[in-house]
Amino acid sequence: MDKVGKHSRKGRETTKRVSEPEPDYDEEVLKRHKNAQAVTVLGEEDASVKLLEDLVFGAEDDLVERLVEDREDGGATLLDDDDSSDSDVENEARLKVQPTRTAVWEDEDDDLEEEVDMTHRFRRDLAKSDAEAKMSKQKLQQRMKEQFQKAMGGMPSWAETKFKKKNKKKDDSDDSDEDGDDLMRKTGNFVGSSDSLPKGIIRMKKCLHANNDRPSKDRLTTVQFHPSAQVVMTAGIDQSISLFQVDGKTNPKIQSIHLERFPVHKAQFSVNGEQVVATSFRNKLFYIYDMMEGKVIPVHTVRGLREQRVKEFEVSPDGESLLLTGTSGYLHVLTMKTKEVVKSLKINGNVVGVAFSHDGSKVFTNSEEGEVYIWDMRSSKCLNRFTDDGCVSGTSMAASKNGQYLACGSAAGVVNVYSQEECMRQNNPKPLKAIMNLVNSATSLRFNPTSEILAIASRADDEAARLVHIPSFTVFSNFPMFQRKTIYRAHRLDFSPNSGFFSLANNKGHAPLFRLLHYKDF
C-alpha cells in the first residue's frame, strides 16, 4: 500500500470487490497515520477532509450503503480500476461509520401507560362499573369526549371540520391550495345576521298577565323576576307577596304570603334569590322572607338607624348589604348578617333615586334638586358631583349592567342618558341623549340585562311607558300599541335575567307580561 489512490471527478468510476486476509489492526493504524502525515507534508489534500466534504455535501447515503454491503461480504474494501485503495485515514474512517443510530438513553416510564384513579369524586361518574377503578389516560379522554357529545346531542357544529380529499397526489403547491381558506372556493353571502337588537320595531308577543292566577285587589307596587329561577314576584297594597311560575301561557301561582296590616311599598329578591326583603309606607318595621326555610322574619329595630320609617332601599350587587334611603338626604348601609347600620352617606336635599354600579364599588344618587352624587362604597367618599343637565326636579335613576350608561329621570318627563366614564371624569358632563317621549314625570327607569333596552315609565298617566333602543336612543314604535289599554299606570318595571320577558306593575292589580322574541332564553 505504497501508492495513494486518487479519485478522478470527471472519469467514470467502476468498483470491484477483492477479498483480502484480515489485517493486523494495530500495525495498520500506525502505518496509515504515518502515510497521512507524509501526504499532508507534501501538500496533498488530506483524505479526512475529503471524507468530511462527502459527508456534508451528500455522499453519506452512498457511503453507508456500501459499508453495509462490505460488512455482509466479510469486511471487503472498495478498490478502483487500478487496484489501488483510498488513503489509509479514509478507509479507517469508513470502517468506523455506523449504519444506524442508537438512542443515547431510554426512559423506562415511556413504555408504561399512565393510569388515572377513577374513584376520585370528580371522575366517579365517568366509570361505568366498579371494576373500572383504574383507567388509562387515553381511555379517560375518550370517555369524556363521549359524555360531552351525549350531553350536547352529538358533536357540536363548531367542532366539525370537513376536508375534501383528492384521489390523485399533487405537488406542494396543489396541497397548499387544498388546505387554503374555503372562502376562495365558494360564492355567496358570507355576512351573517347580527346578534344585536335592531332598532325601530321590537318583535314581541303579549302573554297572559304574570299574576293572572291571583290578581291583586288593589294596585301593585312591585314586580320582579327571580335572578336564577323562571319565577316572577308581585306585591302590592293588598298586603301580600306572590310568586308565579313564568311559562307565558298559564303562569301558575307557586305561593302567596300575607303580611298583616303591612301594605307593601317595595319588595326585592336577594342576590342569590333565597330571600325577599319587603318594606311598607309608614313603618320602621320591614320583613325578610326566607324562601329556603319558609319563614317570615320581622326586623323591628335596626341598630344605629334613627329613622321614623324604612321605605326605599336597594340590595347591593354582592348581596352583603342593603342601602336604605332615609330622610334629609341620608343613605344608610345596613349589613344583612347583623342587621345593623355600619355607615351613612349624606347629600344635599332629599334622595329620589339610587343605583349601584355593576360591580357594587360605587353608588349613584339623585337628589330632588337634580344633583347627582357618585360615592365610593369602600371609603364612603364622594368621587364626583354634577347637576343633571336641564333638570329642575329629579325623580329617578338607573345604571346599566355593563357599566356604560347612567340614566336620570326628571319631573318634566325628560330622561338624560350619560356615559358613566364621563360622569366620573367631568364636573359638568353632557348627556349622550335626552329622551323626551314622556310628558309626565319619569318615575321608573330600568335597563335590561344586556344594556340594549332602557324601559321608562310614569305612574302619572295611563299607557305612559316606552322602550328605548340603546345605543341609538330611539323609541320602539310598536310599544305600546294594542287595541285596548293594558299597561295603565306603571309603578315598577323589570326584565327577566336573559331579557326574554318584560313586565310591569300597574294600578289595576295586574302585571302585564310581554315576550321579547329577539332573546331566546328566559
Side-chain angles (χ1 to χ4, degrees):
M1 300 180 64
D2 54 351
K3 182 180 179 180
V4 179
K6 297 181 180 179
H7 292 283
S8 176
R9 297 183 180 179
K10 297 182 180 180
R12 182 177 300 173
E13 296 181 358
T14 58
T15 60
K16 60 181 179 178
R17 305 181 183 277
V18 178
S19 300
E20 293 181 359
E22 188 72 13
D24 186 0
Y25 282 100
D26 296 336
E27 183 179 353
E28 286 293 322
V29 170
L30 182 60
K31 188 182 296 183
R32 291 172 183 175
H33 182 65
K34 291 180 179 181
N35 291 338
Q37 290 179 350
V39 172
T40 305
V41 172
L42 293 175
E44 298 292 334
E45 184 181 6
D46 192 349
S48 60
V49 176
K50 183 177 183 302
L51 178 60
L52 180 60
E53 292 178 354
D54 293 339
L55 293 175
V56 172
F57 294 104
E60 182 181 5
D61 296 336
D62 297 336
L63 178 62
V64 173
E65 182 180 355
R66 285 182 291 172
L67 288 175
V68 173
E69 294 178 356
D70 293 342
R71 287 197 172 187
E72 292 176 353
D73 293 340
T77 59
L78 299 175
L79 298 176
D80 55 11
D81 292 338
D82 297 333
D83 296 336
S84 61
S85 64
D86 293 338
S87 64
D88 296 336
V89 178
E90 182 179 355
N91 292 335
E92 180 68 15
R94 289 181 176 180
L95 289 175
K96 293 182 180 181
V97 174
Q98 299 294 331
T100 57
R101 297 181 181 180
T102 59
V104 178
W105 58 278
E106 295 181 359
D107 192 351
E108 298 178 356
D109 295 337
D110 291 344
D111 298 332
L112 298 177
E113 188 175 9
E114 185 178 356
E115 293 186 348
V116 182
D117 184 15
M118 298 301 296
T119 60
H120 193 275
R121 61 190 181 95
F122 290 155
R123 296 183 288 269
R124 195 177 302 161
D125 296 337
L126 295 174
K128 295 183 178 180
S129 62
D130 296 337
E132 291 182 338
K134 297 284 186 180
M135 185 180 294
S136 64
K137 190 175 182 180
Q138 292 77 9
K139 189 175 180 181
L140 176 60
Q141 292 177 351
Q142 182 64 26
R143 185 69 57 80
M144 294 175 67
K145 181 178 179 181
E146 293 175 356
Q147 188 183 37
F148 174 77
Q149 292 183 0
K150 182 179 179 181
M152 295 294 294
M155 182 179 293
S157 58
W158 55 264
E160 295 179 354
T161 56
K162 298 180 180 179
F163 295 98
K164 295 182 179 180
K165 296 182 179 180
K166 298 184 178 180
N167 296 328
K168 296 181 180 181
K169 293 182 179 180
K170 295 186 177 182
D171 54 7
D172 295 340
S173 61
D174 293 336
D175 293 339
S176 62
D177 291 339
E178 181 180 354
D179 295 335
D181 196 347
D182 197 35
L183 292 174
M184 303 301 294
R185 304 196 205 123
K186 295 181 180 180
T187 60
N189 185 13
F190 286 92
V191 181
S193 60
S194 175
D195 292 335
S196 60
L197 179 67
K199 65 178 182 178
I201 296 177
I202 184 170
R203 296 189 302 114
M204 64 166 45
K205 176 184 177 183
K206 187 180 182 305
C207 304
L208 201 65
H209 291 329
N211 64 339
N212 186 75
D213 207 12
R214 187 192 179 278
S216 177
K217 297 179 181 179
D218 209 329
R219 66 182 174 94
L220 289 181
T221 57
T222 294
V223 61
Q224 186 186 11
F225 291 92
H226 193 276
S228 57
Q230 199 162 335
V231 174
V232 66
M233 173 184 63
T234 61
I237 306 299
D238 64 347
Q239 308 173 22
S240 63
I241 299 175
S242 302
L243 301 176
F244 303 88
Q245 182 181 355
V246 180
D247 59 7
K249 297 179 180 179
T250 60
N251 302 328
K253 186 186 73 171
I254 300 175
Q255 189 179 14
S256 288
I257 306 163
H258 182 73
L259 303 176
E260 188 68 28
R261 292 183 296 179
F262 195 85
V264 179
H265 170 73
K266 183 178 181 180
Q268 188 172 353
F269 285 111
S270 61
V271 175
N272 57 13
E274 296 180 357
Q275 294 179 338
V276 175
V277 181
T279 60
S280 189
F281 292 89
R282 298 178 178 86
N283 296 332
K284 189 176 181 180
L285 166 72
F286 65 93
Y287 286 96
I288 296 178
Y289 172 53
D290 193 329
M291 294 187 294
M292 303 302 294
E293 298 183 1
K295 293 182 180 180
V296 178
I297 305 171
V299 180
H300 296 278
T301 58
V302 176
R303 183 179 179 182
L305 182 64
R306 299 176 181 177
E307 296 287 346
Q308 296 299 322
R309 62 180 182 179
V310 176
K311 187 176 178 181
E312 293 287 345
F313 69 95
E314 289 291 335
V315 180
S316 62
D318 58 6
E320 299 294 330
S321 59
L322 292 179
L323 189 62
L324 304 178
T325 300
T327 57
S328 302
Y330 277 99
L331 292 169
H332 307 286
V333 181
L334 170 72
T335 60
M336 291 293 290
K337 291 183 179 180
T338 61
K339 307 297 187 301
E340 63 180 354
V341 175
V342 293
K343 65 177 71 174
S344 296
L345 310 174
K346 176 72 168 64
I347 71 170
N348 296 330
N350 294 320
V351 179
V352 294
V354 176
F356 276 98
S357 61
H358 66 286
D359 57 358
S361 62
K362 296 182 290 294
V363 62
F364 305 93
T365 60
N366 194 5
S367 71
E368 194 174 15
E369 287 74 21
E371 286 187 316
V372 179
Y373 294 76
I374 304 176
W375 299 88
D376 181 78
M377 287 299 293
R378 182 170 297 180
S379 62
S380 301
K381 293 182 179 180
C382 182
L383 302 177
N384 198 10
R385 169 186 172 186
F386 63 92
T387 301
D388 186 14
D389 187 66
C391 178
V392 177
S393 177
T395 55
S396 56
M397 174 170 283
S400 63
K401 296 293 183 66
N402 62 356
Q404 188 173 356
Y405 303 107
L406 178 68
C408 301
S410 65
V414 180
V415 178
N416 288 328
V417 181
Y418 295 90
S419 168
Q420 289 190 22
E421 184 179 356
E422 294 297 322
C423 293
M424 292 292 299
R425 295 189 306 176
Q426 299 183 11
N427 294 327
N428 189 23
K430 296 299 180 182
L432 300 174
K433 182 69 175 180
I435 302 170
M436 302 182 182
N437 295 89
L438 296 178
V439 296
N440 300 101
S441 176
T443 55
S444 298
L445 306 177
R446 187 75 171 179
F447 283 95
N448 78 319
T450 63
S451 302
E452 294 177 303
I453 303 175
L454 171 62
I456 61 176
S458 173
R459 59 171 172 260
D461 197 5
D462 292 340
E463 307 295 296
R466 300 292 185 270
L467 296 180
V468 183
H469 177 263
I470 304 293
S472 68
F473 303 109
T474 56
V475 174
F476 290 105
S477 59
N478 61 328
F479 182 87
M481 283 187 66
F482 304 103
Q483 295 180 355
R484 58 189 181 90
K485 291 184 179 181
T486 55
I487 295 178
Y488 294 98
R489 300 190 180 189
H491 286 258
R492 300 283 179 179
L493 313 169
D494 197 28
F495 292 89
S496 60
N498 294 306
S499 303
F501 288 89
F502 169 69
S503 183
L504 46 87
N506 64 21
N507 64 334
K508 300 295 184 180
H510 296 142
L513 183 66
F514 304 92
R515 174 73 173 94
L516 304 184
L517 301 177
H518 174 79
Y519 302 99
K520 305 302 180 183
D521 299 329
F522 176 76

